[in-house]
Amino acid sequence: MSILKVARIAHPVLRSPAKPVPKEAFRDRLFQKLIDDMRETMYEYEGVGLAAPQVHEGLRLAVIEVPGKDERAEAEVPFFVLVNPVVTPLGEERENGWEGCLSIPDLRGVVPRLKRLKLDALDREGKPYSLEASDFFARVVQHECDHLDGHVYVDRMNDMRSLTFIKEFEDHVHADEE
Ligand SMILES: [Zn+2]
């Protein structure tokens, strides 16, 4: 497995809509290796999700894993793969929460997201699945799926004044919230 280079904003791959993964890809050794490498890369940079455009691959593919120890998460989400995902809102309720992105290093900002959604996607074998996500898990799904349409979280912020460096977040914002 390899740790892949992460694209940062201003790289065009992050602003281009990604292409659907074709059926043949699931049997392709290189496609399966890409998934393993994305997993490794997500762990290396301590992300909870990674989308293929972030590693310079314009494919509708992402990986997610939320460790139980993550203080933002209500529940652990074991590693899973999203291929050609489709998000359907469940209700209109939105919630503000902090997000960061490996493609916009060292920053965080408050982003409104759907509180509940349904996700339809294929797994790494090409098998369809459907699940419901809420709260932080739903946030991560929306963040990763946004990458597949060329969006990043700062596009979704209502108030840019919440944008903060992680160090200053720990010193000032996080301290205030406790
Ligand atoms: Zn991101």
Side-chain angles (χ1 to χ4, degrees):
M1 272 183 279
S2 330
I3 291 160
L4 304 171
K5 186 177 178 197
V6 176
R8 306 202 302 178
I9 44 166
H11 194 295
V13 73
L14 290 172
R15 289 306 193 178
S16 314
K19 293 194 170 62
V21 173
K23 251 196 262 153
E24 318 79 83
F26 297 97
R27 290 189 312 271
D28 184 342
R29 204 175 41 83
L30 288 177
F31 178 73
Q32 294 297 330
K33 183 179 181 329
L34 172 63
I35 293 171
D36 292 334
D37 289 347
M38 284 173 62
R39 182 179 195 170
E40 202 62 18
T41 305
M42 175 176 69
Y43 293 159
E44 172 71 16
Y45 296 106
E46 297 178 348
V48 290
L50 188 69
Q54 292 186 275
V55 292
H56 307 85
E57 295 286 346
L59 286 173
R60 303 192 79 79
L61 163 69
V63 295
I64 288 176
E65 179 174 337
V66 182
K69 62 173 164 42
D70 194 302
E71 58 181 27
R72 297 165 294 178
E74 297 78 15
E76 179 181 355
V77 179
F79 177 79
F80 76 107
V81 176
L82 302 78
V83 177
N84 300 340
V86 176
V87 166
T88 310
L90 292 176
E92 312 233 300
E93 199 181 342
R94 282 170 193 270
E95 220 171 35
N96 281 324
W98 289 96
E99 291 185 30
C101 181
L102 300 183
S103 296
I104 312 173
D106 303 326
L107 290 168
R108 269 183 192 171
V110 171
V111 186
R113 296 284 190 188
L114 289 168
K115 189 172 161 64
R116 292 184 64 228
L117 59 82
K118 182 159 95 75
L119 168 69
D120 291 287
L122 306 174
D123 68 12
R124 66 186 299 168
E125 271 88 47
K127 215 170 90 213
Y129 66 86
S130 177
L131 58 79
E132 288 184 11
S134 57
D135 302 305
F136 185 67
F137 179 25
R139 174 172 300 279
V140 177
V141 170
Q142 290 167 87
H143 179 117
E144 298 314 326
C145 289
D146 258 1
H147 276 301
L148 309 182
D149 293 323
H151 304 305
V152 291
Y153 78 85
V154 290
D155 308 344
R156 303 292 192 201
M157 290 173 63
N158 281 340
D159 185 352
M160 292 304 288
R161 288 176 300 181
S162 71
L163 198 65
T164 163
F165 286 103
I166 288 174
K167 185 185 176 298
E168 280 69 14
F169 177 87
E170 297 299 338
D171 290 352
H172 305 291
V173 186
H174 196 61
D176 289 350
E177 284 178 352
E178 272 171 12

